[in-house]
Amino acid sequence: AAVLRQAPPQFVLAGTSYGGSLALEVALTAPSRVVGLWLMGCNPGPHGDPEAGRRLSQRVAAGRFLDVEDELASTIVYAPGANGAAAGAAFVRMARRLGSAVFLNQNASLLARPDRRDRLASIQCPTLLIWGREDEFAGIAHADLMASRIPRARCGHLPSLEQPAAVTDAVRTWLHSDI
């Protein structure tokens, strides 16, 4: 609701990871307003391991936020990749800047995330899906599922922090050809 209150009448929406889940929800809520959708590394279904998610929240609430963020950084990026260390460091900087309260709120919303897989076919705007082949956090199967159900989806496999030039090229091509 907050995104829609602040957005223009029609707009292109992009999101990765948690932001991708939010972007997907906005696109499903206001399909006539979203004229293009770019998703990376998100999951349209329920949380894959709610018990593990609850344990992360418990550890953060107990003051172990730095440990949790370090663990997440090791799974959120493909560390052996050319930009893996820089991408992991960028994730840690973002997490520290936002802090433990934001983590706890985001994790709670992910744990309560409704299953949107059956509604994907209702997305009619041009949609770009960009994923990392080695994504352990939101595996490529999520991109494949969305690509098979969203009528105007294109799917690529390039993570934004690890391959920024390639992602920029893919998005530029998508914007010029589909939007």
Side-chain angles (χ1 to χ4, degrees):
V3 170
L4 292 170
R5 277 193 303 273
Q6 296 175 30
Q10 291 192 315
F11 54 97
V12 174
L13 189 56
T16 186
S17 192
Y18 181 82
S21 295
L22 176 59
L24 181 60
E25 193 66 28
V26 170
L28 290 167
T29 300
S32 64
R33 293 185 61 192
V34 178
V35 297
L37 181 61
W38 166 22
L39 301 173
M40 296 180 292
C42 63
N43 176 356
H47 196 288
D49 188 350
E51 186 54 41
R54 284 189 282 279
R55 283 193 305 270
L56 286 177
S57 288
Q58 290 166 351
R59 291 175 57 210
V60 169
R64 305 219 22 229
F65 178 62
L66 297 180
D67 294 339
V68 168
E69 79 178 26
D70 286 342
E71 288 171 25
L72 289 175
S74 71
T75 60
I76 280 210
V77 301
Y78 181 58
N83 294 316
F91 170 79
V92 169
R93 282 192 308 275
M94 287 187 287
R96 287 186 180 163
R97 184 176 66 244
L98 295 172
S100 61
V102 168
F103 172 86
L104 290 170
N105 286 335
Q106 288 181 345
N107 202 40
S109 72
L110 289 174
L111 287 167
R113 176 182 57 225
D115 190 343
R116 297 298 189 214
R117 293 174 291 191
D118 289 342
R119 294 193 53 210
L120 293 172
S122 70
I123 297 173
Q124 297 299 311
C125 64
T127 302
L128 179 63
L129 306 168
I130 298 181
W131 247 254
R133 282 186 187 95
E134 305 295 331
D135 191 332
E136 293 180 30
F137 201 74
I140 194 78
H142 297 300
D144 292 340
L145 173 82
M146 286 191 275
S148 73
R149 293 189 182 180
I150 299 173
R152 297 178 65 193
R154 288 186 180 191
C155 190
H157 304 288
L158 304 168
S160 62
L161 289 176
E162 297 172 37
Q163 300 289 332
V167 169
T168 300
D169 289 344
V171 171
R172 190 173 285 132
T173 299
W174 173 70
L175 286 170
H176 289 297
S177 66
D178 288 342
I179 303 296

